[in-house]
Amino acid sequence: MDRLIEVNNLRKQFRSGKNLSAKKEFFYAVDDVSFFIGRREILGLVGESGCGKTTCGKLILRIFPPTSGTIYFDGHEITSLTKKELLPVRKRMTIIYQDPFASLDPRMSVGSAIAEPMKVHKTVPRKDMRDRVKELLRKVELSPNIMSRYPHEFSGGQRQRIGIARALATNPEFIVADEAVSALDVSIQAQIINLLQGLQKEFGLTVLFISHDLSVIKHISDRVAVMYLGKIVETALHRDLFSTPKHPYTKALLSAIPLPDPNLREKDTILLGDVPSLLNPSSGCRFHPRCHYAKDICRKEEPQLIESSVNHHVACHLFSAI
């Protein structure tokens, strides 16, 4: 597969504490993560809140500088590029934020918000910007007549469409969709997902689609990566992950999808306890305190992400001996 994005042993460390007088404690929000995204592919990244999904996306976009590891975009390493060196790369990658209410500047009109990336990256001559903004609004199924209006005049779904139009302004090749539909009503979610799928095919986009909702991931992704406490625990083709999940955590996430008859759910797929703190992660496998299948080796040794079957990787001692 032709890879547009490749991430190797990526780590990001943060300091905890809300003020400088607090005790210095550090934790890894992303810890030794490796994966790739094929050109024109949608990779779904799923996991519970706080597992490091959004941080991972922002590291790839270099919104956050990585603590260690390497990031390749279109075959070129971008890990250590300066802001000036990153500028031509940034116009080829962008992000759709989770909150359509916070991601748009309330002081800027719709037309100005969409045109701003074009001005920064000089992708469109100024005389053509107005026509380009109108074209993008049509692409996201909004009327060009709204250009002079402001974000507070629109619903959440309309604002997210405006955010998508802005993300497309520089003709990017790669988009991080960070919980792009989680703040919307269910009916609107379906419309935005269908819109994103159509635009992805039309423009040949590569997408990292971040979500905690497996039902959304199932609908939109080509491949899926499952993340737990800063680590990738399973990756597989969409159909394989949903038909034959292997990691106990993936099985537990799938079991959380509502069923018509709750008695059909297997008891050993229900998660135990709460998510541990990243400040003091468990030794060995990070999931073992909540796992029904945990053994002594799980408490002592961290499992490696191995290929248990074709294009299906899992980090679990249940499969390490296969």
Side-chain angles (χ1 to χ4, degrees):
M1 179 184 290
D2 185 12
R3 301 180 178 187
L4 183 68
I5 301 290
E6 188 169 355
V7 170
N8 296 311
N9 308 114
L10 196 61
R11 283 188 167 95
K12 179 59 183 177
Q13 188 183 64
F14 290 104
R15 178 187 165 184
S16 69
K18 296 181 179 180
N19 54 64
L20 294 175
S21 62
K23 180 182 177 182
K24 289 184 179 180
E25 292 184 301
F26 296 90
F27 64 95
Y28 282 102
V30 174
D31 191 0
D32 197 21
V33 164
S34 299
F35 63 89
F36 70 89
I37 311 176
R39 201 178 295 273
R40 298 181 182 84
E41 179 183 46
I42 300 178
L43 176 69
L45 183 60
V46 66
E48 292 171 288
S49 296
C51 73
K53 306 184 301 296
T54 295
T55 301
C56 202
K58 290 183 176 181
L59 286 170
I60 296 173
L61 296 174
R62 286 294 314 276
I63 294 173
F64 293 152
T67 302
S68 62
T70 55
I71 305 163
Y72 288 87
F73 177 74
D74 199 14
H76 302 283
E77 186 179 351
I78 64 170
T79 320
S80 56
L81 296 183
T82 64
K83 287 184 178 180
K84 185 176 180 180
E85 292 170 332
L86 274 171
L87 196 59
V89 179
R90 288 195 188 282
K91 70 180 180 182
R92 300 172 63 191
M93 50 170 62
T94 189
I95 185 169
I96 300 169
Y97 289 99
Q98 174 180 357
D99 187 355
F101 294 90
S103 63
L104 295 172
D105 189 335
R107 298 165 298 179
M108 295 181 72
S109 67
V110 169
S112 297
I114 297 173
E116 186 180 30
M118 305 179 207
K119 295 176 182 177
V120 171
H121 294 288
K122 298 179 174 63
T123 55
V124 178
R126 283 188 175 271
K127 63 182 179 63
D128 297 330
M129 281 185 185
R130 187 175 180 84
D131 290 337
R132 175 63 175 158
V133 171
K134 289 181 178 180
E135 179 189 356
L136 289 169
L137 286 170
R138 293 189 189 97
K139 291 290 184 184
V140 297
E141 300 171 4
L142 290 174
S143 170
N145 297 328
I146 68 170
M147 286 178 58
S148 60
R149 295 168 62 183
Y150 288 83
H152 71 271
E153 301 179 62
F154 300 95
S155 67
Q158 289 172 322
R159 290 192 197 194
Q160 196 61 294
R161 290 174 187 269
I162 294 167
I164 293 170
R166 183 180 59 181
L168 295 172
T170 59
N171 293 313
E173 297 167 54
F174 174 61
I175 291 180
V176 173
D178 182 19
E179 298 277 9
V181 297
S182 64
L184 307 176
D185 293 337
V186 175
S187 60
I188 305 300
Q189 283 186 13
Q191 294 176 20
I192 298 299
I193 290 170
N194 290 336
L195 174 65
L196 285 171
Q197 284 182 310
L199 292 171
Q200 187 265 337
K201 291 176 181 176
E202 180 178 352
F203 293 106
L205 299 170
T206 301
V207 180
L208 176 63
F209 192 91
I210 297 169
S211 180
H212 64 272
D213 190 338
L214 268 171
S215 60
V216 172
I217 290 289
K218 183 178 183 179
H219 186 77
I220 199 170
S221 303
D222 299 309
R223 280 191 309 119
V224 182
V226 182
M227 200 167 185
Y228 183 77
L229 280 184
K231 290 186 174 288
I232 300 291
V233 296
E234 186 168 4
T235 64
L237 294 173
H238 156 272
R239 62 177 181 273
D240 294 337
L241 187 110
F242 285 92
S243 62
T244 54
K246 296 187 176 182
H247 198 282
Y249 178 60
T250 308
K251 293 179 180 179
L253 288 179
L254 287 170
S255 74
I257 298 175
L259 296 173
D261 183 358
N263 294 321
L264 296 174
R265 182 170 289 119
E266 298 178 14
K267 291 183 179 180
D268 62 358
T269 60
I270 299 174
L271 284 175
L272 303 171
D274 297 322
V275 180
S277 171
L278 279 169
L279 289 171
N280 187 26
S282 305
S283 60
C285 175
R286 294 189 176 188
F287 185 63
H288 86 257
R290 307 175 73 192
C291 182
H292 292 270
Y293 309 102
K295 301 178 181 180
D296 287 340
I297 190 174
C298 302
R299 299 177 180 87
K300 299 174 182 176
E301 295 183 20
E302 184 178 323
Q304 300 302 307
L305 194 67
I306 61 168
E307 189 171 27
S308 61
S309 58
V310 178
N311 295 321
H312 199 147
H313 295 75
V314 61
C316 181
H317 288 300
L318 294 174
F319 298 90
S320 59
I322 294 178

